[in-house]
Structure formats: structure tokens, C-alpha cells
Amino acid sequence: MRDAKPRASHFIAGAYAEDEQGDVIEVIYPGSGEKVAQVHSATPEIVEQALTAASSAQTAWSAMLGTERGRILRRAAEIIRERNRELSELETIDTGKPLQETLVADATSAADALEWFGNLAASLRGEHIQLGKDWAYSIREPLGVCVGIGAWNYPTQIAAWKGAPALACGNTMVFKPSEETPLCALKVAEALTEAGAPAGVYNVIQGRGDVGATLVSDPRVAKVSLTGSVPTGKKVYAAAAEGMRHVTMELGGKSPILIFDDADLETAVGGAILGNFYSTGQICSNGTRVFVQKDIKDAFLARLAERLKGITMGDPLDEAVNYGPMVSEAQLKIVLDFIEKGKAEGARLVTGGKRVGRNGWFIEPTVFADVADDMTIAREEIFGPVASILDFDTEEEVLARANATPFGLSAGVFTQDVTRAHRIARAFQAGSCWINTYNLTPVEVSFGGSKLSGVGRENGLAAIEHFSQLKTVYVGMEGVDAPY
Ligand code: NDP
């Protein structure tokens, strides 16, 4: 395995920074359970240095032409693409996701975001509004210092999905990765600095939730963008509200996939596989409640179980492997507990259900059938490779059941009936919906949740709205006609 040790724990003001007084955070390779690196949590001095760097850099960065900012982001995208293999290996070491996956889904996605928002930076503008002889115009302004806080499942992508639109708009950022996956965001900071981002524009500091909480309540911070669970989202949203800070909350889900009897079976099974087992099920938008119309249920389950035999489980750094471990031992235990609850509450285990091996945090891909809506596995986010298959009869019935959840992140429908597909997409209570495919999230389209799954949107033009604000300037042309 290549050396995963970072040059230092933090990246502040354009350079690596260290303070060994901070608590040690160990980096464990999920494929073997071995320690591969360590970083130190940010001390108050490190937090202060990062926030000072970001605030000092912000005015000059926002004063640069959008064209110049955009060029730097695009150059960073090129650097990241050139280093795709090295960064993908690091992502695999950090998360345990198979290299086969990370080579095409992580650094590449970060590069796409930097390129797309880099291209947009020069086009950001306000508008002119004629009001008789008077007129007004609006100026699109950055918010200031933004804080990004990441989950552990897509550490490179999350660092860039937050950083790219923030920087394109003229903000600066302090990013805190999850303590489980501290390594990859440092590489995004390195690439941006090498591409010419001035010192302090994009900083990374390590730490657990307490470091995140300190950042969120600092008076210099104008915006917080969190990717994480709903309970953390509630805390961060409340803390941000104290200072009336802008927020984007990308939180958890329990998304439905509806499979009608006229669907192309292979496509529907493929969608359910990608929506439950890619990244070993550790994806927020996964469609973990798979509703299958009754008359195709047996055929669907048989084909799903058959295709899951195609999984190659093993060391995720081996490119032949297409199914890796859970990110951590803690997550392994959480998922095994859910599997036990599924069995205890009467769901039928079709395949999987067990831990595999003693080294690394591997669990078999697991499918439960005959799942009822009120079972724990059908209500709570598991964040692991566990699919719940539920039966349904009619469109009206399944739509009501699909929407009967406090979450609203994503939803999918498989059918050949084009009007039904769009009718259902319209009725879904979810931020991202897919028809006859699942879990595709290109940078060009917005992504985010409704209901408890979050507020705000990442990616697409919508992200610009969430990293900038409008100032209105009214211009009087005829003098002031006061009544007294
Ligand atoms: P957590 O909610 O546990 O943590 C998310 C981040 O918030 C971590 O960096 C964590 O630090 C930090 N944090 C924890 N407490 C606080 C606090 N009080 N103030 C500020 N920051 C805090 O989520 P996980 O890392 O376990 O990630 C899994 C969750 O993320 C799932 O629910 C999943 O659905 C969701 N997710 C959502 C996505 C989306 O786009 N909608 C995408 C990917 C995941 P630390 O962990 O280091 O203590």
C-alpha cells in the first residue's frame, strides 16, 4: 500500500500546518483494520489561524475578476485529473471504497465541480431594472467566510462540491472533513494552492464534532454548508441560526424506488443494485425502500439475488474488487444491528446478512423481502448494504407509502409508461428524482433534500444562489419630492 501519511494535519494560508497538542485522530484502512496514518485535531490556535487566514484573504479574492478566479479553479481541476490515480488510491485508503469505483467517481467528480463552477465564475452578475426614469440594479456579492463540514463517504467530492461554488462566488472557506476520513480534503487544498489560489482562500482543519461546532458559531463565519446526518444537521442549523448565518444542509434519507410491472427488469434490478450496494451502501441518496409491484416480485428477487453473486468482495485496493468494506468498525456494528432488527421484526432474509472475515469491516450485500412499512429497516437510515423490498398493488397506494417518511432526499421510478413516470416524479416529495435510472448526480444539476433531508442545494446554478447574495442599488434620477 502506498504511504498515506499527510505532510501535516491541517492546510492553512496556503501551507501545511501542525499543532501536535491536538488530540490524535487515527486513520484506519477499512480493508484490513490497520492504522495507516494519524492527524491531530485542531487546537483553538489552529482554528484561529484558519479563520484569520480565510477572513484576511476574502476581500482580495472577491475583488479578483471572475475570469481570474475561474481560471484558478479550472487549473485545480486539471491538476486533480492528472493525479486521478494517486487521489483515487488515497480515497480508497481513507474510505475503503473499491479503487474500481474511486477511479471514476471521486477525484473526477471533484474536478468536474471545479471546472464547471470555474467556467461559471466569469458569468456571475446582477440585473438592471428600469423604473420609469429611475432605475435600480443588483450586485451579486459573496457571503464572506464559509465553513464546510463533511461526511465520511465522499471526502474528496464533498470538499470540492462545497469549495468550488463557494470560491467561484468570491467566498473563502474553512473545511472540516469527517474525523473518519481526514486525508483527501488536504489534497483538494494542495491542488487549489498549486493552481494559484491565494493563501487563505481554501483551508482545511481536522477535528471531531466539537471543532465543527466552534467553526459554526464563530462571528466571522457567514455561511455553513454541512453534509451529515439529520441529528447533526439539526444541531448545526440551530447554532448557525444564532448568528443568522446562511446554511446548506445535505442530510440523510430513506429514499424509495418504485418498480412497476411494465419496467425493463434488468434496468430496474440494475437501478436497485446501484441504489443499494454501490459504495457498500454508504450513499445518502440510496433507494433503500424498493417497492416492487406484486406480479413481478418473484422474478425481481430472483434476478437481484442472481446478480449479487457477481460481487467481488476483497481488498478495495485490488482493481478487480467491486465491493468493499464499511468505513469503520462503528458503522459495521450499526449495520449489523439493523440486520438483526430486520430479522427480529419478521422481514425475510433473501441473501446476505453476515459479517465476512475478521480483518476489515466487510458485510455481505443484504436483501430483505416481505418488509412492512412500519419495520425499523423500512423507516430508519441504515447507511450500509441493506435493501428492503416491499410489495405494492396500485400506483396511488405506492405513492402514498413512498412519501410517508420524514425524509425527502431522493426517489426513483422504473416504468415504461411515460406519463406515469412524470406523474410520479411530480408527486414525489424529494429533492432529486430519477426515471429509469438511479443515483446519477452530475455537477450540472442541483442536488439536495426536502423535508428532514435538508435545505439548500448543491451543484447546478442553484448552488450559486446559496453561496452569494444580492445587493439592490436604487438610483434616483429626478430629485426627491418630499411632502414637507
Ligand atoms: P455525522 O452527522 O455524524 O457527521 C457529519 C459531520 O459533522 C462530521 O464532520 C462530524 O464530525 C460533524 N459534526 C458532528 N457534530 C457536529 C456539531 N455539533 N457541529 C458541527 N459539526 C459536527 O454524519 P456522518 O459523517 O456519519 O455521515 C453519514 C451521514 O451523512 C448520513 O446520514 C448520510 O445520509 C449523510 N450524507 C448526506 C449526503 C447528502 O448530500 N445529502 C451525502 C453524504 C452523506 P465528526 O464525524 O468528525 O465527529
Side-chain angles (χ1 to χ4, degrees):
M1 190 191 301
R2 56 183 287 272
D3 184 10
K5 293 184 192 71
R7 274 195 263 155
S9 301
H10 319 286
F11 196 98
I12 300 173
Y16 275 96
E18 190 59 275
D19 181 351
E20 291 183 355
Q21 299 301 311
D23 291 347
V24 169
I25 297 174
E26 296 193 329
V27 185
I28 308 289
Y29 177 47
S32 65
E34 286 166 83
K35 178 177 165 180
V36 289
Q38 68 173 39
V39 294
H40 291 274
S41 179
T43 53
E45 290 73 25
I46 287 286
V47 174
E48 184 54 34
Q49 282 173 31
L51 285 168
T52 303
S55 354
S56 317
Q58 202 267 319
T59 307
W61 176 246
S62 68
M64 274 169 80
L65 289 176
T67 323
E68 291 173 302
R69 286 199 304 272
R71 203 176 293 136
I72 290 168
L73 297 190
R74 290 201 310 275
R75 215 178 282 140
E78 274 169 35
I79 292 171
I80 285 177
R81 284 210 180 92
E82 280 160 16
R83 295 181 189 160
N84 185 41
R85 174 156 286 272
E86 177 200 331
L87 297 179
S88 303
E89 285 174 6
L90 195 67
E91 174 97 14
T92 291
I93 292 168
D94 224 1
T95 63
K97 292 185 293 179
L99 185 57
Q100 197 186 96
E101 245 186 71
T102 56
L103 280 168
V104 295
D106 293 279
T108 52
S109 166
D112 286 353
L114 288 160
E115 183 175 25
W116 199 78
F117 286 106
N119 282 330
L120 214 57
S123 317
L124 302 178
R125 62 191 61 176
E127 57 181 351
H128 164 268
I129 303 129
Q130 195 65 43
L131 301 161
K133 289 186 178 148
D134 288 356
W135 54 285
Y137 61 97
S138 60
I139 305 172
R140 186 165 289 284
E141 293 184 332
L143 301 173
V145 175
C146 298
V147 162
I149 302 178
W152 40 257
N153 59 344
Y154 277 78
T156 308
Q157 183 187 83
I158 293 172
W161 279 20
K162 297 190 189 307
L167 269 49
C169 292
N171 304 284
T172 55
M173 178 161 272
V174 177
F175 184 82
K176 187 202 86 65
S178 163
E179 70 179 88
E180 299 287 354
T181 52
L183 304 178
C184 300
L186 294 167
K187 294 293 178 182
V188 174
E190 257 184 45
L192 277 161
T193 302
E194 281 179 48
V201 163
Y202 187 86
N203 311 276
V204 175
I205 63 170
Q206 309 294 346
R208 301 189 167 84
D210 56 331
V211 171
T214 307
L215 291 172
V216 170
S217 50
D218 191 278
R220 286 164 288 190
V221 171
K223 149 113 200 179
V224 181
S225 177
L226 169 81
T227 298
S229 62
V230 172
T232 304
K234 286 181 182 173
K235 280 189 228 161
V236 172
Y237 202 170
E242 284 293 314
M244 211 56 80
R245 296 182 182 89
H246 297 247
V247 294
T248 299
M249 294 281 146
E250 292 289 350
L251 309 177
K254 191 72 198 175
S255 303
I257 297 180
L258 315 190
I259 299 176
F260 285 86
D261 57 11
D262 65 346
D264 178 273
L265 190 69
E266 282 306 305
T267 295
V269 170
I273 287 175
L274 287 186
N276 281 276
F277 303 111
Y278 197 71
S279 300
T280 322
Q282 302 165 115
I283 298 183
C284 51
S285 49
N286 270 357
T288 49
R289 292 182 295 142
V290 184
F291 292 89
V292 182
Q293 207 157 18
K294 267 190 188 139
D295 43 350
I296 58 160
K297 172 185 154 185
D298 290 342
F300 177 86
L301 281 172
R303 193 64 191 124
L304 179 61
E306 179 67 27
R307 282 184 59 178
L308 287 177
K309 288 185 192 145
I311 271 176
T312 307
M313 195 185 313
D315 183 346
L317 282 169
D318 174 352
E319 257 182 86
V321 163
N322 59 20
Y323 180 87
M326 305 306 301
V327 72
S328 65
E329 192 171 16
Q331 193 62 20
L332 175 93
K333 287 192 175 137
I334 289 171
V335 176
L336 289 172
D337 278 355
F338 273 112
I339 292 173
E340 286 314 309
K341 279 195 188 122
K343 289 191 222 162
E345 292 176 18
R348 174 164 62 93
L349 188 61
V350 175
T351 183
K354 291 192 295 295
R355 180 174 180 183
V356 179
R358 289 201 185 154
N359 301 322
W361 327 125
F362 292 90
I363 301 186
E364 292 172 326
T366 300
V367 177
F368 280 107
D370 305 334
V371 176
D373 297 18
D374 60 351
M375 289 180 186
T376 307
I377 56 169
R379 285 186 294 106
E380 294 183 19
E381 184 182 44
I382 299 175
F383 225 58
V386 183
S388 292
I389 315 294
L390 306 96
D391 316 337
F392 74 92
D393 287 307
T394 68
E395 178 181 326
E396 195 185 9
E397 167 216 336
V398 75
L399 204 42
R401 290 168 61 200
N403 284 335
T405 167
F407 299 107
L409 190 54
S410 307
V413 57
F414 288 84
T415 178
Q416 299 291 337
D417 180 338
V418 69
T419 51
R420 171 159 64 194
H422 293 287
R423 193 165 59 234
I424 287 177
R426 182 99 198 266
F428 272 146
Q429 296 169 0
S432 294
C433 302
W434 291 278
I435 296 173
N436 292 332
T437 187
Y438 204 77
N439 255 355
L440 299 178
T441 54
V443 64
E444 292 88 344
V445 299
S446 68
F447 179 77
S450 59
K451 303 202 283 187
L452 282 188
S453 293
V455 294
R457 291 291 177 268
E458 293 196 307
N459 288 344
L461 288 174
I464 297 300
E465 301 291 333
H466 294 288
F467 277 107
S468 62
Q469 59 193 344
L470 288 177
K471 173 186 279 174
T472 299
V473 181
Y474 188 107
V475 185
M477 301 295 286
E478 293 191 289
V480 176
D481 184 15
Y484 49 85

